[in-house]
């Protein structure tokens, strides 16, 4: 069986549905974090059958917004000195800045460098967000 | 009310009570214009029109001049630093030093909100793309109040371009707040009210009644307020689509022969061919008075956003 050592300091993203690990990796980690990262896929889980796990050494900075958008069930474990220091809750963000682009081609957010697109959660079920500038509804995908 | 810096970007920036207050003050100004002729002396309105406009620009200009204030501004963005690539945020920061209040028209949706975020003076949205036109909404409300006596419990029909018609979008959102009995939407399939707007209305007001039909004649006898709009050539991405739809609705005396005697016919203007000239003489046609009333409700708005003391009865 494959063995991966625990980390002394950093974060562990646990309870990701099998297959989601790569999505999280691509959105959160790839090219943005300059620390050792381990992506474990299809790990056996009593509760989930199979799950994915990501371990990132020496960083405590993780974007909970992105995680919330991908899967609310992800657990964020903060590890300090080899021990679990804190568990952080992941939620679907009520407000978003960036991450998505407004689907309305006439929205000012596509035309002015000063504008950072801003959205308010419109539907939690379908992950739809209302643009603060033009009121168009855009789905996070 | 409105003592802190406030903007009017969309109708939701005003409460129902504030809207009624503005409408009533506008009607008072309409009846007694001389009383208010100097209340904005020393104040400057910047009119920033990044898109052509006759009525809204002149209506605001006229409103400020009738209040004794002064004007700066432009009606042609080619004469501004916009052409040099200046951000709207920078433009409005600077204009904040030159004027006391600004009204802007912009083709991009949400542009006035961006300006409001960087402005030190009140910003009024004079129309942004196909999105919102809140001062046209105030104009529409003052007209409905004057001719129907109340803003509530009417059957209101919108006819024409409901997809790109910002005046429709602002007014329907607002009238939904005023217990409108029923909305009837008359448009070709291609120009229906945006589904996201319809969905937002129904999510917020689950009991709202909205009926969509293709022809006015099917519903004309139910209507209290008929709001006609132009098929807007400038909102289409290709001319072929515009040509196909431009003559979808032409209101004639025949088409309103079964209408209520006290129905009113409104239009934000400009009209092209969607209402024939013969209708102008019908007592139900109020669109030119609507345009006139717009000046007075804009006067009311300017005084309120500026926090001007208008207790001039003496």
């Amino acid at each position: 069986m494959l063995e991966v050592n625990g980390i002394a300091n950093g974060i562990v993203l646990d309870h990701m549905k099998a297959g989601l690990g790569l999505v999280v990796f691509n959105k959160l980690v790839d090219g943005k974090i300059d620390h050792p990262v381990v992506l474990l896929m299809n790990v056996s889980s009593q509760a989930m059958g199979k799950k994915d796990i990501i371990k990132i050494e020496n960083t405590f900075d993780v974007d909970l917004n992105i995680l919330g958008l991908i899967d609310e069930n992800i657990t964020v474990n903060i590890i300090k000195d080899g021990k679990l220091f804190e568990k952080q809750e992941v939620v679907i963000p009520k407000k978003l800045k960036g991450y998505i682009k407004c689907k309305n081609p006439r929205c000012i957010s596509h035309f002015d460098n000063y504008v950072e697109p801003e959205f308010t959660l419109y539907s939690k079920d379908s992950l739809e967000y209302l643009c603060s500038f033009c009121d168009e509804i855009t789905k996070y995908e | 009310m409105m003592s802190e810096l406030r903007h009017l970007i969309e109708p939701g920036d005003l409460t129902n009570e504030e809207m009624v207050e503005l409408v009533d003050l506008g009607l008072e100004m309409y009846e007694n214009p001389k009383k208010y002729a100097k209340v904005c002396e020393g104040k400057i309105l910047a009119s920033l029109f990044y898109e052509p406009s006759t009525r809204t620009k002149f209506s605001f200009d006229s409103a400020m001049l009738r209040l004794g204030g002064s004007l700066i501004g432009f009606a042609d963005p080619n004469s501004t630093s916009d052409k040099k690539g200046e951000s709207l945020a920078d433009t409005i920061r600077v204009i904040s030093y030159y004027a006391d209040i600004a009204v802007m028209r912009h083709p991009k949706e949400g542009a006035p909100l961006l300006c409001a975020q960087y402005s030190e003076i009140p910003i009024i949205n004079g129309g942004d793309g196909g999105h919102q036109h809140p001062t046209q909404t105030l104009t529409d409300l003052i007209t409905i109040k004057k001719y129907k006596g109340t803003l509530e419990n009417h059957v209101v029909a919108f006819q024409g371009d409901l997809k790109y018609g910002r005046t429709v979008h602002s007014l329907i959102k607002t009238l939904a707040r005023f217990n409108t009995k029923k909305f009837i939407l008359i448009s070709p399939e291609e120009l229906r009210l945006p589904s996201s707007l319809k969905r937002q209305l129904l999510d917020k007001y689950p009991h709202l009644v909205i009926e969509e039909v293709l022809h006015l004649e099917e519903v004309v006898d139910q209507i209290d307020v008929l709001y006609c709009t132009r098929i807007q050539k400038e909102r289409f991405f290709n001319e072929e689509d515009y040509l196909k739809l431009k003559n979808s609705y032409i209101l004639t005396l025949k088409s309103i022969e079964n209408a209520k005697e006290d129905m009113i016919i409104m239009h934000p203007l400009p009209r092209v061919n969607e209402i024939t000239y013969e209708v102008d003489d019908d007592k139900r046609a109020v669109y030119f008075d609507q345009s006139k009333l717009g000046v007075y409700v804009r006067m009311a708005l300017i005084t309120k956003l500026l926090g001007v003391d208008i207790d001039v009865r003496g």
Side-chain angles (χ1 to χ4, degrees):
Chain A
M1 185 176 162
L2 178 69
E3 255 190 51
V4 177
N5 292 335
I7 55 175
N9 288 292
I11 58 171
V12 176
L13 308 179
D14 200 356
H15 300 120
M16 284 183 275
K17 268 183 253 169
L20 269 187
L22 200 55
V23 177
V24 174
F25 181 88
N26 286 331
K27 293 263 186 191
L28 185 72
V29 179
D30 192 22
K32 294 170 197 142
I33 294 179
D34 190 22
H35 300 287
V37 179
V38 179
L39 166 61
L40 296 161
M41 298 175 75
N42 300 320
V43 177
S44 293
S45 160
Q46 277 193 331
M48 302 172 69
K50 284 181 179 178
K51 66 177 181 178
D52 292 353
I53 300 172
I54 291 177
K55 299 182 179 192
I56 311 172
E57 191 119 37
N58 296 328
T59 187
F60 302 103
D61 186 19
V62 57
D63 189 337
L64 293 178
N65 280 336
I66 276 286
L67 296 179
L69 287 167
I70 297 169
D71 184 358
E72 265 199 305
N73 299 312
I74 296 173
T75 309
V76 181
N77 299 309
I78 310 288
I79 311 294
K80 286 191 178 170
D81 299 326
K83 291 179 184 164
L84 177 63
F85 175 75
E86 188 186 347
K87 276 182 189 281
Q88 285 187 358
E89 199 182 343
V90 169
V91 291
I92 294 171
K94 289 198 173 110
K95 298 273 180 191
L96 270 190
K97 278 197 171 191
Y99 299 113
I100 53 176
K101 285 186 175 174
C102 179
K103 79 171 189 187
N104 174 8
R106 292 177 298 277
C107 179
I108 188 69
S109 63
H110 298 296
F111 297 94
D112 196 297
N113 293 335
Y114 267 87
V115 181
E116 188 175 10
E118 290 175 21
F119 302 89
T120 305
L121 185 62
Y122 188 75
S123 167
K124 200 175 171 183
D125 294 335
S126 50
L127 278 186
E128 289 173 302
Y129 282 86
L130 192 68
C131 176
S132 301
F133 288 97
C134 73
D135 293 322
E136 184 60 79
I137 297 171
T138 299
K139 189 171 167 57
Y140 174 80
E141 287 170 314
Chain B
M1 146 181 166
M2 298 184 187
S3 52
E4 75 280 25
L5 176 59
R6 289 204 42 192
H7 311 281
L8 178 57
I9 305 303
E10 55 117 3
D13 293 334
L14 296 169
T15 64
N16 286 12
E17 292 72 26
E18 286 171 331
M19 284 193 175
V20 171
E21 191 183 331
L22 288 170
V23 162
D24 289 344
L25 179 60
L27 287 170
E28 153 67 12
M29 289 174 158
Y30 176 79
E31 297 294 336
N32 303 291
K34 283 187 184 165
K35 274 169 53 177
Y36 304 92
K38 292 184 179 176
V39 296
C40 282
E41 262 183 355
K43 301 288 186 187
I44 298 172
L45 170 77
S47 67
L48 317 171
F49 280 73
Y50 288 86
E51 197 181 56
S53 161
T54 308
R55 261 145 297 271
T56 304
K57 178 170 173 21
F58 287 167
S59 181
F60 267 106
D61 290 358
S62 172
M64 193 54 166
L65 294 171
R66 284 170 188 272
L67 292 166
S70 308
L71 308 169
I72 57 173
F74 56 85
D76 175 10
N78 289 320
S79 65
T80 72
S81 293
D82 182 61
K83 278 287 143 196
K84 300 173 194 165
E86 185 183 43
S87 164
L88 273 176
D90 281 0
T91 305
I92 200 64
R93 274 176 171 151
V94 173
I95 285 170
S96 291
Y97 308 139
Y98 303 158
D100 300 290
I101 188 167
V103 55
M104 77 175 304
R105 157 81 51 101
H106 202 283
K108 300 292 182 286
E109 297 171 9
L113 178 63
L114 170 67
C115 286
Q117 290 173 345
Y118 291 91
S119 175
E120 293 180 22
I121 59 174
I123 299 293
I124 299 170
N125 179 4
D128 58 334
H131 182 217
Q132 296 285 332
H133 197 347
T135 69
Q136 180 63 46
T137 298
L138 289 173
T139 300
D140 302 334
L141 294 183
I142 193 174
T143 308
I144 294 170
K145 182 82 187 287
K146 182 181 175 219
Y147 284 96
K148 304 299 289 182
T150 172
L151 300 177
E152 305 200 26
N153 297 315
H154 303 305
V155 173
V156 182
F158 294 93
Q159 174 169 275
D161 175 4
L162 313 189
K163 181 177 182 183
Y164 300 112
R166 58 190 167 204
T167 60
V168 173
H169 301 165
S170 281
L171 184 58
I172 196 167
K173 272 177 93 170
T174 305
L175 286 177
R177 294 158 48 182
F178 282 96
N179 300 318
T180 295
K181 198 187 285 177
K182 183 180 185 181
F183 288 113
I184 302 177
L185 308 179
I186 309 161
S187 70
E189 295 280 349
E190 297 89 336
L191 295 176
R192 283 192 164 187
L193 195 74
S195 56
S196 69
L197 175 55
K198 203 166 96 183
R199 186 175 148 202
Q200 287 173 56
L201 286 169
L202 291 169
D203 283 348
K204 197 164 181 184
Y205 309 100
H207 302 297
L208 208 61
V209 181
I210 299 179
E211 184 181 350
E212 291 182 294
V213 298
L214 282 175
H215 304 290
L216 172 67
E217 288 74 7
E218 298 171 39
V219 289
V220 71
D221 58 334
Q222 304 176 38
I223 299 169
D224 298 309
V225 177
L226 174 60
Y227 197 92
C228 301
T229 62
R230 177 173 61 97
I231 310 287
Q232 303 173 93
K233 186 178 182 181
E234 64 273 26
R235 304 275 170 240
F236 283 83
F237 287 116
N238 74 71
E239 192 165 359
E240 198 179 316
D241 290 344
Y242 167 70
L243 292 173
K244 196 172 80 180
L245 296 168
K246 69 173 186 171
N247 293 324
S248 295
Y249 299 106
I250 298 175
L251 193 77
T252 62
L253 283 176
K254 182 160 174 41
S255 49
I256 54 169
E257 65 185 4
N258 292 324
K260 292 179 181 176
E261 280 297 305
D262 63 347
M263 180 184 85
I264 57 171
I265 304 164
M266 298 172 63
H267 191 301
L269 303 178
R271 160 182 57 178
V272 181
N273 66 342
E274 59 278 7
I275 302 177
T276 56
Y277 290 154
E278 63 179 5
V279 177
D280 297 354
D281 295 328
D282 190 285
K283 67 176 175 130
R284 290 167 287 196
V286 302
Y287 30 88
F288 289 114
D289 202 31
Q290 180 184 352
S291 197
K292 182 178 177 184
L293 286 161
V295 175
Y296 296 92
V297 81
R298 288 180 172 110
M299 287 167 67
L301 177 68
I302 290 169
T303 60
K304 286 297 181 185
L305 289 180
L306 283 174
V308 169
D309 180 11
I310 51 158
D311 186 14
V312 292
R313 288 175 182 85

